[in-house]
Amino acid sequence: MNLYKTIHFKEIDSTNKYLKEYHQELENFTFVSTDYQNKGKGRNDRLWTSTRGENLLFSLLLKDEKYIKLGGLLSLIASISVSKILEEKYHLKDVQIKWPNDVYVNDKKICGILLGGQYPSYIVIGVGLNVNQIEFKGDYRKTPTSIALELGKKIDISALKEPLYVALLENITTEKDYIDYFNKHNYLLNKMVEVRIDNKEIVGKVVSVDNEYNLLIEFDNKIIKIISGEIKVL
Ligand code: BTN
């Protein structure tokens, strides 16, 4: 079992921001969680909103070089850790990962993951998992879901938190091949998507991911490798 530290705030601006500010003083494998973020951050500088006390919001600090160098694979590891818990502990069906790091259930987003930090000194993995929220007001392309919505009952967040922390650390520290699991849970597989590359939008069909977790798209009879970027499903 890996040793880890935990810090919990009733309210904070953002757990990712906290770890970025204090990464020098804090140890590798420090988790920071909160009941409520008043400036939660999503991808592409969007706000991440979450009803007070209803969801699992946390960030993990990595300072050890051997984990930092996993880079983008950490997105895969984090999303697999979440999706395995959803399948194994809560028996949710149709759990899929939308490359690089969203978790979907029944075609609706249940978890967002945001990587930050400063290569090569530290990485922060932020996880926002919808647990008990049943009403989602706001501007969503598609209304999200939560474990409670999928199961039709409320969940004890504290019983979910530690197993997820432990699974995440185990998956980060053991060098397993996760691509196979991902390929069986690839939300984008065979979907037509739009990706922006060098200020150009390309439209293609997702065929798979490679061993480094880059997304492979068929475009103009060629296979294009996408290393990062915002993917829009058409
Ligand atoms: C996304 O846009 O899908 C990523 C959302 C990530 C949200 C989590 S909640 C905990 C951590 N703190 C933040 O401010 N953001 C991440």
Side-chain angles (χ1 to χ4, degrees), residues 133-145:
Q133 189 166 336
I134 46 173
E135 249 189 298
F136 292 90
K137 292 189 192 126
D139 192 13
Y140 299 103
R141 249 188 249 153
K142 203 191 274 183
T143 308
T145 192

Side-chain angles (χ1 to χ4, degrees), residues 14-16 37 40-43 48 57-59 102 109 112-114 126-128:
S14 148
T15 54
N16 268 28
Q37 294 184 131
K41 218 172 155 239
R43 266 205 311 275
W48 183 262
L57 308 167
F58 72 88
S59 302
D102 287 339
K109 181 160 165 171
I113 292 161
L114 182 66
V127 177

